[in-house]
């Protein structure tokens, strides 16, 4: 199994940028597909972005395309989410997750076996 810890969240004005990091330990990180999800109060958990084990394939929710970029550095056991042009609608608790296989595809929560505790992102208007 793998343990995941997110960092990099905070308070930012609309139009600003943040970079989230997710550090993994306790497993073979380079073999996991990785995803980012978010959840706002009173709303369902929402897919944001995902990257396959090699970093060669990426996938984004329509709401963040052209604004967010996912990447990974397997030598550092870390996946990143660069968030630009942030909007108040992006305010949520952001979680990273790891998958050993993808029965539901990169964008499905049911594909993921391990989850971090999340980091808060708040975007002011």
């Amino acid at each position: 199994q793998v343990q995941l810890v997110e960092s990099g969240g905070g308070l930012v004005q609309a139009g600003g940028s943040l970079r989230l990091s997710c550090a993994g330990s306790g497993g073979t990180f380079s073999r996991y597909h990785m995803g980012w999800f978010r959840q706002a109060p009173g709303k369902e958990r929402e897919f944001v972005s995902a990257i396959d084990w090699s970093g060669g394939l990426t996938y984004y929710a329509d709401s963040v395309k052209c604004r967010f970029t996912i990447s990974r550095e397997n030598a550092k056991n870390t996946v990143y989410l660069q968030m630009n042009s942030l909007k108040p609608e992006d305010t949520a608790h952001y979680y990273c997750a790891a998958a050993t296989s993808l029965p539901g595809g990169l964008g499905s929560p049911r594909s993921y076996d391990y989850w971090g505790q999340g980091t808060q992102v708040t975007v002011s208007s």
Side-chain angles (χ1 to χ4, degrees), residues 7-81:
S7 62
L11 175 65
V12 65
Q13 291 186 335
S17 298
L18 286 172
R19 188 180 74 162
L20 306 184
S21 298
C22 176
S25 63
T28 306
F29 185 82
S30 63
R31 294 287 181 154
Y32 289 99
H33 312 290
M34 300 295 298
W36 286 97
F37 296 79
R38 66 189 183 187
Q39 188 167 20
K43 299 186 69 176
E44 297 283 334
R45 182 171 52 186
E46 177 187 24
F47 169 75
V48 177
S49 186
I51 188 166
D52 80 324
W53 68 271
S54 71
L57 295 174
T58 59
Y59 184 44
Y60 299 93
D62 288 343
S63 60
V64 306
K65 283 180 180 177
C66 302
R67 298 191 298 121
F68 292 9
T69 302
I70 191 170
S71 62
R72 66 191 300 163
E73 294 185 48
N74 286 338
K76 298 178 68 174
N77 290 349
T78 303
V79 63
Y80 304 96
L81 185 68

Side-chain angles (χ1 to χ4, degrees), residues 5-13 17-23 36-37 79-83 86 90-96 117-123:
V5 179
E6 302 94 336
S7 62
L11 175 65
V12 65
Q13 291 186 335
S17 298
L18 286 172
R19 188 180 74 162
L20 306 184
S21 298
C22 176
W36 286 97
F37 296 79
V79 63
Y80 304 96
L81 185 68
Q82 178 66 47
M83 305 186 295
L86 283 162
D90 297 317
T91 295
H93 207 69
Y94 283 70
Y95 301 88
C96 69
Q117 291 300 305
T119 185
Q120 179 67 34
V121 172
T122 302
V123 184

